[in-house]
């Protein structure tokens, strides 16, 4: 098949039990999308099935894969991932190429989302951005002067694991009081549940009785005017804003972009983040920074991964 016909690129986000895939044109427009759940023991096969579905939109030149873990892009190996099934970690790259016959680019999910926002979302006219992804975990990525800043270890940008409460809860990383222990999706739910035991007037109480709720439910109920949910977002926003203030003082970065389901609450979460960041940062640094919500929505990681495949596929070099 002539290469000129393969001008589309796929991007896939692998989360803990679900996958999202998109196909983008060379111009970066999304032309197809699919979602799937997967069984951990068959991750490679299920990603390959998703790719088969995405190929119905036309030939695909290469695939970007955003995963919840650290990736060495030079060796295409997964270094650390608590979110991927262990059997899939070691050789996911060559297994996927074998299963699909396509070139794959692996990247950390927050890095992929940051690249997506930088190229075609809320950061497209900025030189420097800090992206914060608030989901099952809290990830971050720094793009400085067009380049992804990964630091000496490759882990730069891990804002979810900076300490905001020295006496806080234990975190999966081994530290206590990390931002993630307060503001990740599951921790927003945990804190809400603890308070709902004392305040049963919230519309979330009904969801709790029926089965359970997610951080996206808190965002939705806040948008519907539930005072308790609004208060939960204000308190969460204060914690995120505290961490953001440190980033502003440290980097004086041009734009901070916040993504994840909780950001669906719009100003109800963004405003307390900005207010707290302003309160806790140096004024000249704060004034030079804009803090905005991500624009690419739930497909952000997949779109960013596809853009990485478009821009760096097959070159074997580090992104941006
Ligand atoms: Zn931590």
């Amino acid at each position: 098949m002539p290469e000129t016909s393969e001008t589309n690129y796929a991007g896939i986000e692998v989360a803990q039990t679900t996958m999202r895939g998109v196909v983008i044109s060379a111009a970066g427009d999304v032309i197809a999308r699919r979602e799937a759940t997967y069984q951990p023991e068959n991750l490679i096969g299920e990603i390959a099935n998703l790719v088969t579905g995405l190929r119905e939109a036309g030939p695909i030149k290469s695939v970007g894969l955003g995963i919840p873990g650290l990736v060495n892009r030079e060796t295409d190996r997964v270094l650390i991932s608590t979110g991927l099934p262990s059997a899939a970690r070691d050789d996911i790259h060559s297994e996927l190429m074998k299963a699909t016959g396509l070139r794959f680019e692996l990247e950390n999910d927050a890095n992929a989302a940051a690249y997506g926002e930088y190229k075609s979302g809320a950061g497209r006219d900025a030189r420097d951005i800090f992206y914060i992804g608030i989901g099952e975990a809290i990830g971050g990525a720094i793009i400085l002067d067009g380049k992804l800043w990964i630091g000496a270890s490759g882990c730069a940008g891990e804002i979810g694991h900076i300490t905001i409460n020295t006496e806080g809860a234990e975190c999966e990383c081994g530290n206590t009081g990390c931002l993630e222990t307060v503001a990740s999706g599951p921790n927003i739910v945990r804190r809400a549940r603890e308070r709902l035991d004392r305040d049963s007037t919230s519309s979330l109480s009904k969801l709790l009785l029926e089965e359970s709720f997610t951080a996206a439910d808190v965002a939705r109920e806040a948008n519907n005017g539930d005072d308790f949910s609004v208060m939960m977002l204000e308190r969460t926003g204060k914690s995120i804003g505290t961490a953001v203030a440190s980033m502003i003082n440290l980097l004086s970065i041009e734009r901070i972009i916040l993504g994840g389901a909780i950001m669906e609450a719009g100003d109800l979460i963004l405003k307390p983040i900005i207010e707290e960041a302003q309160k806790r940062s140096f004024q000249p640094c704060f004034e030079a920074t804009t803090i905005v919500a991500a624009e690419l929505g739930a497909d952000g990681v997949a779109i960013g991964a596809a853009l990485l495949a478009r821009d760096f596929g097959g070159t074997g070099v580090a992104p941006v």
Side-chain angles (χ1 to χ4, degrees), residues 160-162 170-181:
H161 299 286
I162 68 166
E170 218 167 281
C171 182
E172 275 182 28
C173 75
N175 186 23
T176 56
C178 293
L179 176 63
E180 189 168 298
T181 66

Side-chain angles (χ1 to χ4, degrees), residues 12-28:
I12 295 172
E13 175 187 17
V14 178
Q16 285 195 359
T17 56
T18 57
M19 297 185 283
R20 287 171 178 274
V22 299
V23 178
I24 64 165
S25 65

Side-chain angles (χ1 to χ4, degrees), residues 137-212:
I138 296 183
I142 308 166
I143 294 177
L144 295 177
D145 206 10
K147 292 197 166 52
L148 192 64
W149 175 266
I150 60 169
S153 63
C155 329
E158 288 291 344
I159 190 170
H161 299 286
I162 68 166
T163 305
I164 59 157
N165 177 3
T166 53
E167 290 167 16
E170 218 167 281
C171 182
E172 275 182 28
C173 75
N175 186 23
T176 56
C178 293
L179 176 63
E180 189 168 298
T181 66
V182 177
S184 70
N187 280 300
I188 292 170
V189 170
R190 175 186 58 77
R191 287 167 41 240
R193 278 173 173 275
E194 285 167 8
R195 285 184 160 261
L196 278 173
D197 287 340
R198 302 192 292 264
D199 175 3
S200 56
T201 59
S202 167
S203 54
L204 287 175
S205 294
K206 274 181 235 122
L207 291 173
L208 194 56
L209 284 178
E210 281 162 19
E211 50 179 310
S212 63

Side-chain angles (χ1 to χ4, degrees), residues 70-155:
L70 293 176
V71 171
N72 181 331
R73 283 183 51 91
E74 278 172 24
T75 59
D76 286 317
R77 305 289 275 199
V78 179
L79 299 176
I80 303 170
S81 175
T82 51
L84 275 187
S86 55
R89 284 178 213 160
D90 289 342
D91 229 2
I92 188 169
H93 186 256
S94 57
E95 294 277 323
L96 283 170
M97 301 220 328
K98 224 183 292 167
T100 63
L102 290 169
R103 167 85 201 178
F104 270 73
E105 296 295 315
L106 293 192
E107 188 49 274
N108 166 262
D109 49 9
N111 288 355
Y115 191 71
E117 293 294 333
Y118 186 72
K119 294 299 278 190
S120 61
R124 61 186 167 274
D125 55 346
R127 191 187 61 172
D128 305 328
I129 68 164
F130 192 137
Y131 173 83
I132 306 172
I134 303 158
E136 289 291 304
I138 296 183
I142 308 166
I143 294 177
L144 295 177
D145 206 10
K147 292 197 166 52
L148 192 64
W149 175 266
I150 60 169
S153 63
C155 329

Side-chain angles (χ1 to χ4, degrees), residues 123 125-130 144 251-256 285-291:
D125 55 346
R127 191 187 61 172
D128 305 328
I129 68 164
F130 192 137
L144 295 177
L251 298 171
S252 184
I253 204 151
E254 180 183 348
R255 191 165 306 172
I256 294 177
C285 299
F286 177 81
E287 282 168 6
T289 303
T290 50
I291 304 171

